[in-house]
């Protein structure tokens, strides 16, 4: 099949704020207790009481491959003060039509949108109100599509946790808009945020 490389690159690179493409893309010991007082039990030590809570549930190992509809439990941080444990279930990878990007005009020429749909669940009841989760697409070859789309379309609205996303079992739906060059396919969705997942993302495949 004949490849026209320069126009394809220009199409992906020229999207400006909409599209960026052309790239493959952590103590100080506590003072000793006075000799006149017995040592505190380990469960009552200051260090134990101030340590970060361990993730709740069977945390999914970085690098795990899942099928669409399978649930992954991950430690999650949002902003500088919020952390907890969430579950992500990628429910669909849907191919859109270039016409869905009409509002972006000529900048979207040669780009096919893909919609990564997911359900996000609060596992441990941490206060994660107003947080959000994003995913990334991989091409059929398991590599980056080379196109990054920002924003949303009528067909794919990014969801955000509500103010009540502070209880175990609370859920919200979201969609991450991704793109690929015309004629290419998206074969997987990935989550690559947090310790370990940045180097070995979770992957959901069709």
């Amino acid at each position: 099949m004949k490849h026209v490389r320069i126009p394809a690159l220009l199409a992906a690179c020229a999207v400006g704020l909409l599209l960026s493409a052309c790239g493959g893309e952590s103590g100080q010991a506590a003072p000793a207790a006075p000799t006149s007082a017995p040592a505190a039990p380990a469960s009552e030590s200051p260090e134990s009481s101030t340590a970060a809570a361990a993730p709740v549930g069977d945390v999914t190992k970085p690098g795990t491959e899942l099928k669409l509809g399978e649930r992954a439990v991950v430690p999650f941080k949002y902003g500088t003060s919020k952390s907890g444990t969430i579950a992500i279930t990628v429910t669909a990878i849907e191919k859109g039509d270039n016409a869905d990007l009409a509002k972006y005009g000529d900048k979207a020429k040669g780009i096919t949108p893909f919609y990564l749909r997911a359900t996000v669940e609060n596992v441990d009841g941490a206060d994660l109100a107003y947080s959000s989760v994003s995913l990334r697409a991989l091409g059929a070859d398991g590599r980056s599509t080379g196109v990054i789309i920002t924003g949303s379309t009528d067909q794919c609205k990014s969801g955000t946790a509500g103010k009540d996303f502070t209880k175990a079992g609370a859920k919200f739906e979201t969609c991450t808009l991704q793109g690929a060059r015309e004629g290419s396919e998206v074969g997987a969705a990935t989550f690559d945020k947090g310790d370990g997942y940045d180097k070995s993302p979770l992957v959901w495949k069709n």
Side-chain angles (χ1 to χ4, degrees):
M1 179 172 61
K2 183 177 180 181
H3 296 275
V4 184
R5 301 181 61 187
I6 295 177
L9 290 174
L10 291 176
C13 294
V15 187
L17 294 178
L18 163 68
L19 307 168
S20 62
C22 308
E25 280 217 22
S26 172
Q28 186 176 0
T35 55
S36 59
S43 60
E44 298 176 5
S45 68
E47 184 178 357
S48 297
S49 62
T50 58
V56 173
D58 296 327
V59 173
T60 305
K61 182 180 178 181
T64 299
E65 290 190 0
L66 305 103
K67 296 179 180 179
L68 294 183
E70 290 187 330
R71 181 176 182 263
V73 176
V74 300
F76 180 69
K77 292 182 180 180
Y78 188 75
T80 58
S81 61
K82 293 188 175 185
S83 64
T85 305
I86 62 171
I88 304 170
T89 304
V90 178
T91 57
I93 300 173
E94 299 176 359
K95 183 178 181 179
D97 189 88
N98 179 259
D100 299 344
L101 303 175
K103 68 179 182 180
Y104 299 115
D106 291 344
K107 293 179 179 180
K109 280 186 176 180
I111 301 299
T112 299
F114 284 84
Y115 310 131
L116 312 183
R117 303 191 187 279
T119 299
V120 182
E121 177 186 350
N122 189 324
V123 173
D124 61 354
D127 181 359
L128 296 172
Y130 308 113
S131 60
S132 61
V133 173
S134 62
L135 304 168
R136 292 183 59 221
L138 295 180
D141 60 359
R143 299 182 180 183
S144 169
T145 65
V147 177
I148 300 174
I149 302 180
T150 60
S152 63
T153 67
D154 291 341
Q155 296 78 15
C156 185
K157 299 289 187 180
S158 177
T160 301
K163 65 180 180 180
D164 58 346
F165 200 66
T166 59
K167 300 176 181 179
K171 296 180 181 180
F172 70 93
E173 307 291 326
T174 189
C175 180
T176 302
L177 174 64
Q178 293 282 271
R181 295 184 179 92
E182 188 175 0
S184 299
E185 295 292 330
V186 165
T190 70
F191 175 79
D192 59 1
K193 303 296 188 294
D195 296 342
Y197 301 104
D198 52 348
K199 295 182 179 179
S200 299
L202 299 177
V203 178
W204 287 264
K205 292 185 175 181
N206 273 317

